[in-house]
Amino acid sequence: MNCIFCKIIKKEIPAGIVFENKDIIAFKDVNPIAPVHVLVIPKKHIISVADASDDDVLLMGKLIMVAKKIAEDLKISNKGYKLLVRVGKGGGQEVGHLHLHLLGGAYNV
Ligand code: 5GP
Ligand code: ZN
């Protein structure tokens, strides 16, 4: 499968990894649009929210809880931050592996 995020999971291409456990990995966006811009992704290759199933309910919740933990670790939690998930082409999704954007440290995004 030619998925750039699966390659990051397998450490075939480098990324600034900030969190990893058995289900989830999080790394710095290569083209940040905010001072803090981290992508939180499931290790399971799910194309988008539209492709998630009932089997993925717990995993979807874990993504948000990991984002919350990273925001606390990076000390942006008090000021607040944005969690963004684009779904499909019409939603502006460019990478076909479900990901949650954690955006913080700026108010103009
Ligand atoms: P989308 O538009 O699909 O919601 O967001 C995809 C994000 O992935 C973009 O913000 C883009 O900068 C980021 N991205 C794309 N390729 C890579 C990569 O190879 N490494 C990293 N760290 N981020 C990437
Ligand atoms: Zn993938």
Side-chain angles (χ1 to χ4, degrees):
M1 192 190 312
N2 197 23
C3 171
I4 191 128
F5 286 178
C6 282
K7 287 181 181 160
I8 288 174
I9 291 164
K10 288 187 262 175
K11 315 276 165 65
E12 289 174 5
I13 62 169
I17 294 169
V18 297
F19 175 90
E20 180 167 16
N21 69 14
K22 71 176 175 46
D23 300 315
I24 291 169
I25 191 165
F27 51 90
K28 292 178 184 170
D29 196 293
V30 77
N31 188 22
I33 60 169
V36 173
H37 188 171
V38 171
L39 301 172
V40 186
I41 74 170
K43 288 187 174 176
K44 179 180 176 185
H45 181 85
I46 302 169
I47 295 170
S48 80
V49 166
D51 297 279
S53 74
D54 286 348
D55 292 343
D56 302 316
V57 168
L58 183 59
L59 185 57
M60 295 299 102
K62 285 178 178 175
L63 283 180
I64 291 178
M65 296 310 282
V66 166
K68 168 190 155 150
K69 179 193 166 1
I70 294 168
E72 288 167 356
D73 290 349
L74 296 180
K75 315 249 184 278
I76 59 169
S77 193
N78 282 351
K79 269 195 170 176
Y81 52 89
K82 181 181 287 187
L83 300 178
L84 170 69
V85 182
R86 299 190 174 106
V87 184
K89 280 208 167 66
Q93 183 179 358
E94 289 182 353
V95 176
H97 182 129
L98 194 155
H99 51 281
L100 188 154
H101 296 256
L102 166 60
L103 299 163
Y107 298 101
N108 61 341
V109 292

